[in-house]
Short mmCIF file of all heavy atoms in Angstrom, two decimals:
data_model
loop_
_atom_site.label_atom_id
_atom_site.label_comp_id
_atom_site.label_asym_id
_atom_site.label_seq_id
_atom_site.Cartn_x
_atom_site.Cartn_y
_atom_site.Cartn_z
N PRO A 727 33.55 -20.35 -0.55
CA PRO A 727 32.53 -21.23 0.04
C PRO A 727 31.13 -20.66 -0.05
O PRO A 727 30.16 -21.40 -0.25
CB PRO A 727 32.98 -21.34 1.51
CG PRO A 727 34.44 -21.07 1.48
CD PRO A 727 34.63 -20.04 0.41
N LEU A 728 31.01 -19.36 0.06
CA LEU A 728 29.70 -18.71 -0.01
C LEU A 728 29.12 -18.82 -1.42
O LEU A 728 27.93 -19.14 -1.60
CB LEU A 728 29.86 -17.24 0.39
CG LEU A 728 28.59 -16.46 0.74
CD1 LEU A 728 27.89 -17.07 1.94
CD2 LEU A 728 28.96 -15.01 1.01
N ILE A 729 29.95 -18.55 -2.42
CA ILE A 729 29.50 -18.66 -3.82
C ILE A 729 29.10 -20.10 -4.12
O ILE A 729 28.06 -20.35 -4.74
CB ILE A 729 30.61 -18.19 -4.78
CG1 ILE A 729 30.90 -16.70 -4.57
CG2 ILE A 729 30.23 -18.47 -6.23
CD1 ILE A 729 32.09 -16.18 -5.36
N VAL A 730 29.91 -21.05 -3.67
CA VAL A 730 29.66 -22.46 -3.97
C VAL A 730 28.35 -22.94 -3.35
O VAL A 730 27.52 -23.56 -4.01
CB VAL A 730 30.84 -23.33 -3.51
CG1 VAL A 730 30.46 -24.80 -3.47
CG2 VAL A 730 32.03 -23.12 -4.44
N LEU A 731 28.13 -22.68 -2.07
CA LEU A 731 26.90 -23.19 -1.45
C LEU A 731 25.68 -22.51 -2.05
O LEU A 731 24.61 -23.12 -2.16
CB LEU A 731 26.97 -23.03 0.07
CG LEU A 731 26.75 -21.63 0.68
CD1 LEU A 731 25.27 -21.36 0.95
CD2 LEU A 731 27.54 -21.49 1.98
N HIS A 732 25.81 -21.24 -2.43
CA HIS A 732 24.71 -20.52 -3.07
C HIS A 732 24.36 -21.14 -4.43
O HIS A 732 23.18 -21.36 -4.75
CB HIS A 732 25.10 -19.05 -3.23
CG HIS A 732 24.04 -18.19 -3.83
ND1 HIS A 732 23.33 -17.25 -3.09
CD2 HIS A 732 23.55 -18.10 -5.10
CE1 HIS A 732 22.45 -16.64 -3.89
NE2 HIS A 732 22.58 -17.13 -5.11
N GLU A 733 25.38 -21.45 -5.22
CA GLU A 733 25.15 -21.90 -6.59
C GLU A 733 24.94 -23.41 -6.70
O GLU A 733 24.30 -23.86 -7.65
CB GLU A 733 26.33 -21.50 -7.48
CG GLU A 733 26.62 -20.00 -7.55
CD GLU A 733 25.57 -19.22 -8.31
OE1 GLU A 733 24.73 -19.83 -9.00
OE2 GLU A 733 25.57 -17.97 -8.19
N THR A 734 25.47 -24.19 -5.75
CA THR A 734 25.48 -25.65 -5.94
C THR A 734 24.71 -26.38 -4.84
O THR A 734 23.53 -26.64 -4.95
CB THR A 734 26.91 -26.17 -6.09
OG1 THR A 734 27.65 -26.01 -4.88
CG2 THR A 734 27.65 -25.46 -7.22
N TYR A 735 25.39 -26.73 -3.75
CA TYR A 735 24.78 -27.49 -2.66
C TYR A 735 24.85 -26.69 -1.37
O TYR A 735 25.92 -26.24 -0.98
CB TYR A 735 25.56 -28.80 -2.43
CG TYR A 735 25.67 -29.69 -3.63
CD1 TYR A 735 26.84 -29.71 -4.39
CD2 TYR A 735 24.61 -30.52 -4.01
CE1 TYR A 735 26.96 -30.53 -5.49
CE2 TYR A 735 24.73 -31.35 -5.11
CZ TYR A 735 25.90 -31.35 -5.85
OH TYR A 735 26.01 -32.17 -6.95
N PRO A 736 23.72 -26.45 -0.74
CA PRO A 736 22.36 -26.88 -1.05
C PRO A 736 21.55 -25.82 -1.80
O PRO A 736 20.32 -25.82 -1.72
CB PRO A 736 21.77 -27.10 0.35
CG PRO A 736 22.42 -26.02 1.18
CD PRO A 736 23.81 -25.84 0.62
N GLY A 737 22.26 -24.95 -2.54
CA GLY A 737 21.60 -23.84 -3.22
C GLY A 737 20.95 -24.20 -4.53
O GLY A 737 20.16 -25.14 -4.62
N HIS A 738 21.32 -23.46 -5.59
CA HIS A 738 20.60 -23.57 -6.85
C HIS A 738 20.58 -24.98 -7.43
O HIS A 738 19.54 -25.46 -7.89
CB HIS A 738 21.20 -22.62 -7.89
CG HIS A 738 20.99 -21.18 -7.59
ND1 HIS A 738 19.86 -20.70 -6.97
CD2 HIS A 738 21.76 -20.08 -7.86
CE1 HIS A 738 19.95 -19.39 -6.84
NE2 HIS A 738 21.09 -18.99 -7.36
N HIS A 739 21.73 -25.66 -7.45
CA HIS A 739 21.77 -26.97 -8.11
C HIS A 739 20.85 -27.98 -7.42
O HIS A 739 20.04 -28.64 -8.07
CB HIS A 739 23.21 -27.50 -8.13
CG HIS A 739 23.36 -28.81 -8.85
ND1 HIS A 739 22.92 -29.02 -10.14
CD2 HIS A 739 23.90 -30.00 -8.44
CE1 HIS A 739 23.19 -30.27 -10.50
NE2 HIS A 739 23.76 -30.88 -9.49
N LEU A 740 20.95 -28.06 -6.10
CA LEU A 740 20.09 -29.01 -5.39
C LEU A 740 18.61 -28.64 -5.58
O LEU A 740 17.77 -29.51 -5.82
CB LEU A 740 20.46 -29.03 -3.91
CG LEU A 740 19.78 -30.11 -3.06
CD1 LEU A 740 20.71 -30.55 -1.92
CD2 LEU A 740 18.46 -29.63 -2.47
N GLN A 741 18.31 -27.36 -5.47
CA GLN A 741 16.90 -26.93 -5.60
C GLN A 741 16.35 -27.20 -6.99
O GLN A 741 15.22 -27.66 -7.16
CB GLN A 741 16.78 -25.44 -5.25
CG GLN A 741 15.35 -24.94 -5.22
CD GLN A 741 14.95 -24.22 -6.50
OE1 GLN A 741 15.71 -23.43 -7.03
NE2 GLN A 741 13.76 -24.48 -6.99
N ARG A 742 17.17 -26.94 -8.03
CA ARG A 742 16.68 -27.15 -9.39
C ARG A 742 16.55 -28.64 -9.71
O ARG A 742 15.64 -29.04 -10.44
CB ARG A 742 17.59 -26.46 -10.40
CG ARG A 742 17.45 -24.95 -10.41
CD ARG A 742 16.03 -24.49 -10.73
NE ARG A 742 15.60 -24.94 -12.04
CZ ARG A 742 15.80 -24.27 -13.18
NH1 ARG A 742 16.42 -23.11 -13.14
NH2 ARG A 742 15.37 -24.75 -14.32
N LEU A 743 17.43 -29.47 -9.18
CA LEU A 743 17.26 -30.91 -9.36
C LEU A 743 15.94 -31.36 -8.76
O LEU A 743 15.22 -32.18 -9.35
CB LEU A 743 18.42 -31.67 -8.71
CG LEU A 743 19.79 -31.59 -9.39
CD1 LEU A 743 20.83 -32.33 -8.55
CD2 LEU A 743 19.76 -32.14 -10.81
N GLN A 744 15.61 -30.83 -7.60
CA GLN A 744 14.34 -31.19 -6.96
C GLN A 744 13.16 -30.64 -7.77
O GLN A 744 12.16 -31.33 -7.97
CB GLN A 744 14.31 -30.65 -5.54
CG GLN A 744 13.18 -31.18 -4.68
CD GLN A 744 13.29 -32.67 -4.42
OE1 GLN A 744 14.37 -33.15 -4.07
NE2 GLN A 744 12.22 -33.41 -4.59
N ALA A 745 13.28 -29.39 -8.23
CA ALA A 745 12.20 -28.78 -9.00
C ALA A 745 11.95 -29.53 -10.31
O ALA A 745 10.81 -29.59 -10.79
CB ALA A 745 12.52 -27.31 -9.29
N ASN A 746 13.01 -30.09 -10.89
CA ASN A 746 12.85 -30.84 -12.14
C ASN A 746 12.05 -32.12 -11.96
O ASN A 746 11.65 -32.74 -12.96
CB ASN A 746 14.23 -31.16 -12.74
CG ASN A 746 14.87 -29.95 -13.38
OD1 ASN A 746 14.28 -28.88 -13.46
ND2 ASN A 746 16.11 -30.10 -13.82
N LEU A 747 11.81 -32.52 -10.71
CA LEU A 747 10.99 -33.70 -10.43
C LEU A 747 9.53 -33.32 -10.18
O LEU A 747 8.75 -34.17 -9.74
CB LEU A 747 11.54 -34.43 -9.19
CG LEU A 747 12.98 -34.93 -9.28
CD1 LEU A 747 13.43 -35.47 -7.92
CD2 LEU A 747 13.11 -36.00 -10.35
N ALA A 748 9.15 -32.09 -10.47
CA ALA A 748 7.79 -31.62 -10.19
C ALA A 748 6.74 -32.49 -10.89
O ALA A 748 7.04 -33.20 -11.86
CB ALA A 748 7.63 -30.17 -10.64
N SER A 749 5.52 -32.39 -10.41
CA SER A 749 4.48 -33.35 -10.78
C SER A 749 3.84 -33.10 -12.13
O SER A 749 3.06 -33.91 -12.60
CB SER A 749 3.38 -33.34 -9.70
OG SER A 749 2.85 -32.03 -9.55
N SER A 750 4.12 -31.97 -12.77
CA SER A 750 3.54 -31.71 -14.09
C SER A 750 4.56 -31.00 -14.97
O SER A 750 5.48 -30.35 -14.46
CB SER A 750 2.28 -30.85 -13.97
OG SER A 750 2.60 -29.52 -13.57
N ARG A 751 4.39 -31.13 -16.28
CA ARG A 751 5.32 -30.47 -17.20
C ARG A 751 5.21 -28.95 -17.07
O ARG A 751 6.20 -28.24 -17.25
CB ARG A 751 5.04 -30.90 -18.64
CG ARG A 751 5.32 -32.37 -18.90
CD ARG A 751 5.87 -32.61 -20.29
NE ARG A 751 5.02 -32.09 -21.35
CZ ARG A 751 5.43 -31.94 -22.61
NH1 ARG A 751 6.66 -32.27 -22.95
NH2 ARG A 751 4.60 -31.49 -23.53
N LEU A 752 4.03 -28.47 -16.75
CA LEU A 752 3.86 -27.03 -16.54
C LEU A 752 4.74 -26.56 -15.39
O LEU A 752 5.44 -25.54 -15.50
CB LEU A 752 2.39 -26.71 -16.26
CG LEU A 752 2.09 -25.24 -15.89
CD1 LEU A 752 2.41 -24.32 -17.05
CD2 LEU A 752 0.65 -25.09 -15.44
N ARG A 753 4.72 -27.28 -14.29
CA ARG A 753 5.53 -26.89 -13.14
C ARG A 753 7.02 -27.06 -13.45
O ARG A 753 7.85 -26.27 -13.00
CB ARG A 753 5.15 -27.71 -11.92
CG ARG A 753 3.75 -27.44 -11.42
CD ARG A 753 3.52 -28.09 -10.07
NE ARG A 753 2.11 -28.01 -9.67
CZ ARG A 753 1.67 -28.23 -8.45
NH1 ARG A 753 2.52 -28.54 -7.49
NH2 ARG A 753 0.38 -28.15 -8.18
N GLN A 754 7.36 -28.10 -14.19
CA GLN A 754 8.77 -28.30 -14.55
C GLN A 754 9.29 -27.17 -15.43
O GLN A 754 10.45 -26.77 -15.33
CB GLN A 754 8.93 -29.64 -15.27
CG GLN A 754 8.77 -30.85 -14.36
CD GLN A 754 8.81 -32.14 -15.15
OE1 GLN A 754 8.07 -32.32 -16.12
NE2 GLN A 754 9.67 -33.06 -14.74
N LEU A 755 8.41 -26.65 -16.29
CA LEU A 755 8.81 -25.57 -17.20
C LEU A 755 8.95 -24.24 -16.47
O LEU A 755 9.71 -23.37 -16.89
CB LEU A 755 7.77 -25.44 -18.32
CG LEU A 755 8.03 -24.39 -19.40
CD1 LEU A 755 9.18 -24.82 -20.29
CD2 LEU A 755 6.79 -24.15 -20.24
N SER A 756 8.23 -24.09 -15.38
CA SER A 756 8.12 -22.79 -14.72
C SER A 756 9.18 -22.61 -13.65
O SER A 756 9.59 -23.56 -13.00
CB SER A 756 6.73 -22.64 -14.09
OG SER A 756 5.71 -22.82 -15.06
N THR A 757 9.60 -21.38 -13.49
CA THR A 757 10.53 -21.04 -12.42
C THR A 757 10.24 -19.61 -12.00
O THR A 757 9.54 -18.87 -12.69
CB THR A 757 12.00 -21.17 -12.88
OG1 THR A 757 12.85 -20.97 -11.76
CG2 THR A 757 12.34 -20.17 -13.97
N ASN A 758 10.74 -19.22 -10.83
CA ASN A 758 10.51 -17.87 -10.34
C ASN A 758 11.73 -17.43 -9.55
O ASN A 758 12.12 -18.07 -8.57
CB ASN A 758 9.26 -17.82 -9.45
CG ASN A 758 8.93 -16.40 -9.04
OD1 ASN A 758 9.57 -15.86 -8.14
ND2 ASN A 758 7.96 -15.80 -9.70
N ASN A 759 12.33 -16.33 -9.98
CA ASN A 759 13.59 -15.89 -9.38
C ASN A 759 13.44 -15.49 -7.91
O ASN A 759 14.40 -15.59 -7.15
CB ASN A 759 14.19 -14.74 -10.18
CG ASN A 759 14.88 -15.23 -11.43
OD1 ASN A 759 15.23 -16.40 -11.53
ND2 ASN A 759 15.06 -14.36 -12.40
N CYS A 760 12.26 -15.01 -7.53
CA CYS A 760 12.07 -14.66 -6.12
C CYS A 760 12.28 -15.90 -5.25
O CYS A 760 12.92 -15.84 -4.20
CB CYS A 760 10.67 -14.09 -5.88
SG CYS A 760 10.45 -12.44 -6.55
N TYR A 761 11.73 -17.04 -5.70
CA TYR A 761 11.91 -18.26 -4.92
C TYR A 761 13.32 -18.81 -5.09
O TYR A 761 13.97 -19.19 -4.11
CB TYR A 761 10.90 -19.33 -5.32
CG TYR A 761 11.10 -20.58 -4.50
CD1 TYR A 761 10.62 -20.66 -3.20
CD2 TYR A 761 11.88 -21.63 -4.98
CE1 TYR A 761 10.88 -21.76 -2.42
CE2 TYR A 761 12.13 -22.75 -4.21
CZ TYR A 761 11.63 -22.81 -2.92
OH TYR A 761 11.90 -23.89 -2.15
N VAL A 762 13.79 -18.87 -6.33
CA VAL A 762 15.10 -19.46 -6.60
C VAL A 762 16.20 -18.75 -5.81
O VAL A 762 17.01 -19.38 -5.12
CB VAL A 762 15.40 -19.43 -8.11
CG1 VAL A 762 16.85 -19.80 -8.38
CG2 VAL A 762 14.46 -20.38 -8.86
N GLU A 763 16.21 -17.42 -5.88
CA GLU A 763 17.24 -16.67 -5.15
C GLU A 763 16.95 -16.65 -3.66
O GLU A 763 17.87 -16.64 -2.84
CB GLU A 763 17.35 -15.25 -5.71
CG GLU A 763 17.83 -15.17 -7.15
CD GLU A 763 19.21 -15.81 -7.35
OE1 GLU A 763 20.01 -15.87 -6.39
OE2 GLU A 763 19.48 -16.28 -8.47
N GLY A 764 15.67 -16.63 -3.30
CA GLY A 764 15.32 -16.66 -1.89
C GLY A 764 15.82 -17.94 -1.22
O GLY A 764 16.34 -17.90 -0.10
N TRP A 765 15.67 -19.06 -1.92
CA TRP A 765 16.17 -20.33 -1.40
C TRP A 765 17.68 -20.27 -1.19
O TRP A 765 18.20 -20.66 -0.13
CB TRP A 765 15.81 -21.48 -2.34
CG TRP A 765 16.52 -22.76 -2.00
CD1 TRP A 765 17.65 -23.25 -2.59
CD2 TRP A 765 16.19 -23.68 -0.96
NE1 TRP A 765 18.04 -24.43 -1.98
CE2 TRP A 765 17.15 -24.72 -0.97
CE3 TRP A 765 15.16 -23.74 -0.01
CZ2 TRP A 765 17.12 -25.79 -0.10
CZ3 TRP A 765 15.12 -24.82 0.87
CH2 TRP A 765 16.10 -25.82 0.82
N ALA A 766 18.40 -19.78 -2.19
CA ALA A 766 19.86 -19.75 -2.09
C ALA A 766 20.33 -18.82 -0.97
O ALA A 766 21.30 -19.11 -0.27
CB ALA A 766 20.47 -19.35 -3.43
N MET A 767 19.62 -17.69 -0.80
CA MET A 767 19.98 -16.78 0.28
C MET A 767 19.69 -17.41 1.64
O MET A 767 20.45 -17.25 2.60
CB MET A 767 19.22 -15.45 0.14
CG MET A 767 19.58 -14.67 -1.12
SD MET A 767 21.31 -14.12 -1.15
CE MET A 767 21.27 -12.86 0.12
N TYR A 768 18.56 -18.10 1.72
CA TYR A 768 18.25 -18.84 2.95
C TYR A 768 19.36 -19.86 3.26
O TYR A 768 19.78 -20.02 4.41
CB TYR A 768 16.90 -19.54 2.83
CG TYR A 768 16.73 -20.70 3.78
CD1 TYR A 768 16.49 -20.48 5.13
CD2 TYR A 768 16.84 -22.01 3.33
CE1 TYR A 768 16.36 -21.54 6.02
CE2 TYR A 768 16.72 -23.08 4.21
CZ TYR A 768 16.48 -22.85 5.55
OH TYR A 768 16.36 -23.90 6.41
N CYS A 769 19.83 -20.55 2.22
CA CYS A 769 20.88 -21.56 2.40
C CYS A 769 22.16 -20.94 2.96
O CYS A 769 22.86 -21.57 3.77
CB CYS A 769 21.17 -22.27 1.08
SG CYS A 769 19.88 -23.43 0.58
N GLU A 770 22.47 -19.72 2.55
CA GLU A 770 23.67 -19.06 3.08
C GLU A 770 23.58 -18.93 4.60
O GLU A 770 24.53 -19.24 5.33
CB GLU A 770 23.84 -17.68 2.45
CG GLU A 770 24.19 -17.73 0.96
CD GLU A 770 24.41 -16.34 0.40
OE1 GLU A 770 24.59 -15.39 1.20
OE2 GLU A 770 24.41 -16.19 -0.84
N GLU A 771 22.43 -18.47 5.09
CA GLU A 771 22.25 -18.30 6.53
C GLU A 771 22.19 -19.65 7.25
O GLU A 771 22.79 -19.84 8.32
CB GLU A 771 20.98 -17.50 6.80
CG GLU A 771 20.73 -17.16 8.27
CD GLU A 771 21.68 -16.11 8.81
OE1 GLU A 771 22.42 -15.48 8.02
OE2 GLU A 771 21.70 -15.92 10.04
N MET A 772 21.48 -20.59 6.64
CA MET A 772 21.34 -21.90 7.25
C MET A 772 22.69 -22.62 7.36
O MET A 772 22.99 -23.25 8.39
CB MET A 772 20.35 -22.74 6.44
CG MET A 772 20.10 -24.15 6.98
SD MET A 772 21.23 -25.35 6.24
CE MET A 772 20.65 -25.37 4.55
N MET A 773 23.51 -22.51 6.32
CA MET A 773 24.83 -23.17 6.36
C MET A 773 25.76 -22.51 7.38
O MET A 773 26.64 -23.16 7.95
CB MET A 773 25.44 -23.20 4.97
CG MET A 773 24.72 -24.14 4.01
SD MET A 773 25.02 -25.89 4.32
CE MET A 773 26.52 -26.15 3.36
N TRP A 774 25.58 -21.22 7.60
CA TRP A 774 26.31 -20.56 8.69
C TRP A 774 25.87 -21.16 10.03
O TRP A 774 26.71 -21.53 10.86
CB TRP A 774 26.04 -19.06 8.66
CG TRP A 774 26.18 -18.35 9.98
CD1 TRP A 774 25.19 -17.84 10.76
CD2 TRP A 774 27.41 -18.06 10.67
NE1 TRP A 774 25.70 -17.26 11.89
CE2 TRP A 774 27.07 -17.38 11.86
CE3 TRP A 774 28.75 -18.31 10.41
CZ2 TRP A 774 28.00 -16.95 12.79
CZ3 TRP A 774 29.70 -17.88 11.32
CH2 TRP A 774 29.32 -17.20 12.49
#
């Protein structure tokens, strides 16, 4: 369950689907692991 929520819902998959809707192609192309992993780690605590 921990791996799944981190990688899928509401972790990486949900976040990347939202990021892919960004307002410019520059933002859509860009990513940052500090945020991406930070979000997924936050989701682990939040889902607990």
Side-chain angles (χ1 to χ4, degrees):
L728 196 62
I729 296 173
V730 165
L731 76 88
H732 182 108
E733 301 290 347
T734 66
Y735 304 100
H738 292 327
H739 182 54
L740 188 149
Q741 186 261 317
R742 287 301 300 271
L743 289 176
Q744 191 66 46
N746 285 355
L747 301 173
S749 58
S750 69
R751 294 215 305 166
L752 175 64
R753 294 190 188 195
Q754 289 174 307
L755 182 71
S756 304
T757 186
N758 185 282
N759 282 340
C760 288
Y761 180 79
V762 169
E763 295 301 334
W765 169 261
M767 296 296 289
Y768 158 75
C769 287
E770 292 182 16
E771 184 71 11
M772 180 269 292
M773 290 287 273
W774 154 252

